[in-house]
């Protein structure tokens, strides 16, 4: 019990973090700020979010974030900017959902009794308690010791644990109420077994829209203009902002290349001194193909290869060597190579080599990075002294335009994941120039050039989109017409199924092809409407036309495996539990989504990160 008391603060924090972090365990948030609520104000410094008037404090958010980051560090994981932003957003969303669920508990007046808490502690001891030495026998949790301590408290050591259980049990009750709406029938379980275990063989008539490419399916100018004016909601756009930028690409320097070549020379010296090539390859090579699941490495082995399979400098050096030779350093776009030629042969009249290599990537060193950053920083100083345009001219930089971005823009060509421009653009006024911003590939300085108002896009910017939409609609209308015609003919004469493709080049006959319904049929794919029809179909039956992605398909069930009734009896309970859990999670997810859509949420995360 002394151990339990001394560890209780740590245990309580861990339990609180777990409580916040799990949808199935619960969430804890702050109370409402009544004054600000009355006057419609939200103080961003005291609330990272407000949910139906109830605040979520920054302290709670940062406790959760620090815990998650510490767990990542313990596992040797360093989060980059993208992963860190993802983790922040995930925690905020969890806290918002937790607040909504707690509010729902209050509205439904869900409470727990002392007897229920005691029952939970007896039957489901929290995992953290199962590691306390007082409850272990031979390093294994001893249920008897645990229950004895629970039944004979020596003070208030159980109070934090009791409070923790008192917090999550109402949520458990709430979720059980919602889950009660899920029912799994015997036919549901049977169909799921069939999806996973029974193979179906089908043939199909497939009519694809790309076969209808005649000019007659192209829309007229009047058609496109009418579509634009009749569908204004389709062309709404959020406010956009346009940035110009100068960038300094982070790339290795000549010095970095020389450093990699010096390392290659050191490796060559060690090889001459008798070190084994395979051991040095496992120690130095940065070729991803050299890694193994066990972490032992492949000794740099490339296997047999012929001419034309490797990049030119590598191939030239390797095929110029004899078995037993070691050549290098050889520079390619991948880095610096040291190559060991092991053997040579003629296979199918083609000369082949068996070789290994050590790849040293040419990475940007810290000195190079600092030089590039300094150039960007000097540009920023010049902007302060001379203005943005003059700084571009004085430094002989290339001024580029970024495509218009919205406040939610995260991926920006050609940068990739780069959320900083959107944050800068929507927090500043026209003409403002940013500090130096670092992305994965460069250092960048931005200027906000213009603002595109929220509203409807200009017709000229969406004309190609409209043309594609209307062309596809025209094509699919023709596809549907042909599919319905064939279906009508097949009702009269099923033997026409195999001949359909002979009479019309727009028709493709696929199959027979076999697959389980839970997977995908070759050239047909996997479509819920087809699966449902096949579950109820008889062998030999031709199904009505079904629309799939830019095509219509008429499926014929050629064969279906018999159900293994013994296997069915063995697996059905496992399938029932899995299906029930899946349906319950789907229902809970949809319920939480509906709560969020109806809630009044003020999200202040942009003020924090």
């Amino acid at each position: 019990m002394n151990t339990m008391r001394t560890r209780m603060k740590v245990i309580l924090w861990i339990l609180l973090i777990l409580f916040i972090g799990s949808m199935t365990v619960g969430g804890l948030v702050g109370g409402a700020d009544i004054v600000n609520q009355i006057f419609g104000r939200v103080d961003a410094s005291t609330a990272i979010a407000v949910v139906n008037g109830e605040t979520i404090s920054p302290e709670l958010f940062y406790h959760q974030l620090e815990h998650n980051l510490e767990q990542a560090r313990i596992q040797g994981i360093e989060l980059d900017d993208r992963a860190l932003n993802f983790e922040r957003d995930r925690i905020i969303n969890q806290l918002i959902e937790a607040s909504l669920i707690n509010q729902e508990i209050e509205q439904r007046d869900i409470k727990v009794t002392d007897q229920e808490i005691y029952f939970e502690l007896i039957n489901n001891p929290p995992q953290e308690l199962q590691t306390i030495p007082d409850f272990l026998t031979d390093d294994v949790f001893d249920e008897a010791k645990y229950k004895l301590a629970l039944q004979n408290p020596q003070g208030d050591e159980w109070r934090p644990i009791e409070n923790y259980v008192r917090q999550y049990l109402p949520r458990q009750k709430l979720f059980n109420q919602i889950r009660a709406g899920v029912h799994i029938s015997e036919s549901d379980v049977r169909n799921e077994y069939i999806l996973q275990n029974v193979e179906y063989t089908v043939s199909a008539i497939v009519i694809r829209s790309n076969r209808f490419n005649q000019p007659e399916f192209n829309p007229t100018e009047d058609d496109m203009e009418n579509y634009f004016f009749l569908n204004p909601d389709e062309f709404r756009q959020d406010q956009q902002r346009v940035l110009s930028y100068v960038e300094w690409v982070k790339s290795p320097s000549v010095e970095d290349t020389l450093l990699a070549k010096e390392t290659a020379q050191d490796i060559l010296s060690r090889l001459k001194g008798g070190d084994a090539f395979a051991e040095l390859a496992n120690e130095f090579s940065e070729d991803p193909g050299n890694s193994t699941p066990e972490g032992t490495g492949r000794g740099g082995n490339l296997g047999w290869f012929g001419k034309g399979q490797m990049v030119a400098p590598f191939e030239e050096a390797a095929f110029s060597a004899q078995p037993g030779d070691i050549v290098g350093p050889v520079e390619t776009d991948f880095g610096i190579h040291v190559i060991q030629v092991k053997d040579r042969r003629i296979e199918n009249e083609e000369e082949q080599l068996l070789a290994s290599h050590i790849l040293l990537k040419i990475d940007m060193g810290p000195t190079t990075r600092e030089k590039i950053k300094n150039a960007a920083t000097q540009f920023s100083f010049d902007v302060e002294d001379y203005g943005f345009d003059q700084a571009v001219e004085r430094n002989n930089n290339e001024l580029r335009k970024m495509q218009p971005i919205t406040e939610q823009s995260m991926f920006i060509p050609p940068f990739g994941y780069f959320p900083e421009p959107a944050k800068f653009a929507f927090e500043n006024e026209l003409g403002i120039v940013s500090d130096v911003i670092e992305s994965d590939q460069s250092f960048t300085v931005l200027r906000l050039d213009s603002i595109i108002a929220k509203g409807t896009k200009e017709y000229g910017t969406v004309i190609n989109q409209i043309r594609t939409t209307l062309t596809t609609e025209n094509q699919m209308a023709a596809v549907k017409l042909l599919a319905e015609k064939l279906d009508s003919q097949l009702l009269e004469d099923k033997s026409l199924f195999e001949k359909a493709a002979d009479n019309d080049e727009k028709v493709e006959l696929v199959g027979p092809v076999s697959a389980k319904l839970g997977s995908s049929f070759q050239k047909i794919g996997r479509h819920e409407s087809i699966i449902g029809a096949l579950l109820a179909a008889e062998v030999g039956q031709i199904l009505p036309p079904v629309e799939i992605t830019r095509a219509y398909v008429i499926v014929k069930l050629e064969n279906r495996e018999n159900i293994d009734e013994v296997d069915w009896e063995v697996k059905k309970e496992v399938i029932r539990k899995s299906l029930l859990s899946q349906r319950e999670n789907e229902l809970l997810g949809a319920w939480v989504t509906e709560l969020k859509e109806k809630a009044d949420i003020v999200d202040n995360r942009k003020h924090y990160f």
Side-chain angles (χ1 to χ4, degrees):
M1 289 302 101
N2 288 332
T3 306
M4 184 172 175
R5 288 192 190 94
T6 57
R7 294 187 58 186
M8 191 51 65
K9 283 189 178 180
V10 175
I11 291 171
L12 186 56
W13 265 115
I14 291 172
L15 293 176
L16 179 60
I17 297 291
L18 293 173
F19 183 62
I20 294 166
S22 171
M23 272 289 296
T24 59
V25 177
L28 188 65
V29 295
D33 183 340
I34 301 300
V35 175
N36 279 330
Q37 186 175 345
I38 290 172
F39 289 98
R41 301 193 304 260
V42 176
D43 185 353
S45 68
T46 61
I48 199 165
V50 182
V51 183
N52 293 328
E54 191 170 274
T55 63
I56 298 175
S57 70
E59 291 78 13
L60 186 59
F61 164 76
Y62 283 116
H63 272 304
Q64 177 71 37
L65 178 62
E66 183 54 39
H67 171 77
N68 291 7
L69 295 180
E70 180 60 27
Q71 291 301 306
R73 284 191 287 268
I74 290 171
Q75 298 173 36
I77 301 171
E78 287 297 329
L79 300 184
D80 58 18
D81 289 343
R82 183 188 314 184
L84 182 58
N85 281 331
F86 175 83
E87 188 62 20
R88 288 166 172 161
D89 286 339
R90 190 175 69 85
I91 293 170
I92 291 288
N93 292 332
Q94 281 182 341
L95 291 172
I96 289 172
E97 290 176 4
S99 179
L100 287 166
I101 291 167
N102 283 346
Q103 292 170 21
E104 189 72 13
I105 289 170
E106 288 186 18
Q107 289 177 11
R108 297 190 185 207
D109 196 26
I110 296 174
K111 293 181 172 58
V112 294
T113 65
D114 291 342
Q115 290 75 16
E116 288 173 321
I117 293 170
Y118 184 73
F119 180 86
E120 181 72 10
L121 282 171
I122 283 286
N123 293 281
N124 299 294
Q127 190 65 37
E128 278 299 312
L129 295 186
Q130 298 184 34
T131 64
I132 291 180
D134 289 356
F135 303 148
L136 303 181
T137 299
D138 297 330
D139 294 328
V140 176
F141 178 66
D142 189 323
E143 190 173 332
K145 285 184 179 180
Y146 168 75
K147 289 183 177 179
L148 182 63
L150 182 61
Q151 292 162 359
N152 297 278
Q154 303 300 310
D156 63 352
E157 69 272 8
W158 288 100
R159 183 72 62 189
I161 306 300
E162 178 187 332
N163 290 338
Y164 164 64
V165 176
R166 194 180 297 278
Q167 288 166 350
Y168 80 70
L169 268 187
R171 171 168 299 220
Q172 194 166 292
K173 279 189 166 184
L174 171 63
F175 285 178
N176 287 340
Q177 288 180 12
I178 298 165
R179 292 187 184 106
V182 177
H183 299 284
I184 304 296
S185 68
E186 187 76 4
S187 63
D188 290 334
V189 181
R190 181 86 167 180
N191 286 341
E192 186 66 22
Y193 174 85
I194 292 171
L195 289 177
Q196 297 174 14
N197 297 277
V198 177
E199 188 168 87
Y200 280 65
T201 301
V202 303
S203 297
I205 294 171
V206 182
I207 310 164
R208 304 187 192 278
S209 62
N210 60 12
R211 301 283 182 101
F212 294 76
N213 51 14
Q214 297 90 335
E216 65 194 78
F217 296 104
N218 297 331
T220 65
E221 284 296 327
D222 286 344
D223 291 335
M224 292 191 289
E225 288 179 6
N226 287 337
Y227 187 88
F228 178 76
F229 289 111
L230 291 173
N231 299 276
D233 290 343
E234 193 172 326
F235 306 106
R236 300 283 185 212
Q237 66 178 14
D238 293 332
Q239 185 185 98
Q240 295 178 296
R241 303 205 167 191
V242 180
L243 298 166
S244 56
Y245 68 95
V246 177
E247 73 170 335
W248 293 261
V249 177
K250 296 191 289 190
S251 59
S253 64
V254 173
E255 289 78 11
D256 296 323
T257 302
L258 290 175
L259 186 62
K261 287 182 177 179
E262 286 177 11
T263 304
Q265 291 293 352
D266 291 341
I267 291 170
L268 288 167
S269 296
R270 289 180 61 176
L271 288 168
K272 288 178 182 178
D275 284 12
F277 190 97
E279 291 179 5
L280 291 176
N282 291 339
E283 181 181 350
F284 288 99
S285 185
E286 298 175 88
D287 181 356
N290 190 57
S291 61
T292 62
E294 301 80 20
T296 55
R298 306 182 191 278
N301 183 32
L302 294 170
W304 290 94
F305 59 88
K307 290 185 177 180
Q309 292 181 252
M310 301 293 179
V311 291
F314 187 101
E315 179 181 296
E316 183 179 344
F319 277 91
S320 298
Q322 297 300 317
D325 288 351
I326 293 175
V327 294
V330 177
E331 184 175 351
T332 71
D333 290 340
F334 296 98
I336 305 296
H337 306 259
V338 175
I339 306 167
Q340 179 190 46
V341 178
K342 296 179 177 179
D343 202 357
R344 187 186 294 262
R345 72 182 183 187
I346 303 296
E347 185 79 12
N348 297 324
E349 300 182 355
E350 178 194 36
E351 187 177 23
Q352 294 184 341
L353 294 182
L354 177 64
S356 298
H357 83 139
I358 299 170
L359 171 64
L360 304 173
K361 293 183 179 178
I362 304 173
D363 295 321
M364 178 184 64
T367 302
T368 302
R369 182 185 181 280
E370 199 60 29
K371 286 181 180 179
I372 297 170
K373 184 178 180 181
N374 286 343
T377 303
Q378 182 58 53
F379 176 86
S380 282
F381 293 155
D382 287 348
V383 169
E384 293 179 9
D385 293 338
Y386 308 107
F388 189 80
D389 291 325
Q390 283 296 314
V392 171
E393 189 174 329
R394 287 175 65 88
N395 289 274
N396 198 28
N397 295 118
E398 181 182 357
L399 183 62
R400 300 177 181 177
K401 284 279 188 184
M402 194 174 286
Q403 66 177 23
I405 60 175
T406 67
E407 195 168 4
Q408 287 73 43
S409 294
M410 293 288 177
F411 289 86
I412 300 177
F415 294 93
Y417 180 80
F418 194 24
E420 285 80 4
K423 187 178 174 89
F424 166 77
F426 283 85
E427 291 180 357
N428 289 283
E429 303 297 326
L430 284 174
I432 297 296
V433 178
S434 75
D435 295 329
V436 176
I437 299 173
E438 184 175 3
S439 68
D440 289 343
Q441 68 180 39
S442 65
F443 293 98
T444 310
V445 175
L446 310 167
R447 181 182 64 187
L448 179 55
D449 287 344
S450 62
I451 298 174
I452 302 173
K454 179 179 180 179
T456 304
K457 298 176 183 177
E458 294 182 8
Y459 175 70
T461 65
V462 295
I463 189 168
N464 289 333
Q465 174 189 339
I466 295 172
R467 181 180 290 110
T468 299
T469 298
L470 292 179
T471 300
T472 301
E473 286 183 1
N474 293 339
Q475 291 171 329
M476 286 301 294
V479 171
K480 181 179 181 181
L481 196 63
L482 178 54
E484 290 174 343
K485 176 183 174 183
L486 287 173
D487 182 52
S488 178
Q489 293 173 350
L490 290 169
L491 288 174
E492 302 275 334
D493 185 359
K494 289 186 178 182
S495 67
L496 295 175
F497 188 92
E498 286 75 16
K499 302 173 185 176
D502 298 336
N503 301 326
D504 194 328
E505 61 181 11
K506 295 182 177 64
V507 177
E508 176 186 1
L509 184 63
V510 173
V513 291
S514 299
K516 295 181 175 65
L517 295 185
S519 56
S520 177
F521 288 103
Q522 185 181 7
K523 292 189 176 182
I524 301 171
R526 185 180 187 278
H527 304 275
E528 294 300 326
S529 52
I530 294 177
I531 291 170
L534 284 173
L535 282 170
E538 299 292 335
V539 173
Q541 183 176 341
I542 298 174
L543 306 179
V546 174
E547 182 177 359
I548 60 174
T549 306
R550 302 197 68 171
Y552 270 81
V553 60
I554 300 174
V555 175
K556 178 183 179 183
L557 178 56
E558 301 284 4
N559 190 37
R560 175 177 52 215
E561 282 185 336
N562 292 325
I563 294 176
D564 185 333
E565 297 295 340
V566 174
D567 189 56
W568 153 247
E569 290 296 331
V570 170
K571 293 179 178 177
K572 67 179 181 180
E573 282 309 309
V574 174
I575 293 173
R576 185 189 305 278
K577 290 178 182 178
S578 174
L579 196 56
L580 179 63
S581 176
Q582 176 189 326
R583 298 270 179 89
E584 287 176 344
N585 288 337
E586 288 172 355
L587 182 62
L588 282 171
W591 176 76
V592 171
T593 298
E594 185 178 0
L595 280 183
K596 290 174 76 173
E597 290 173 350
K598 292 179 178 178
D600 180 13
I601 298 173
V602 179
D603 192 335
N604 289 328
R605 74 184 76 185
K606 67 182 180 182
H607 297 298
Y608 289 84
F609 51 86

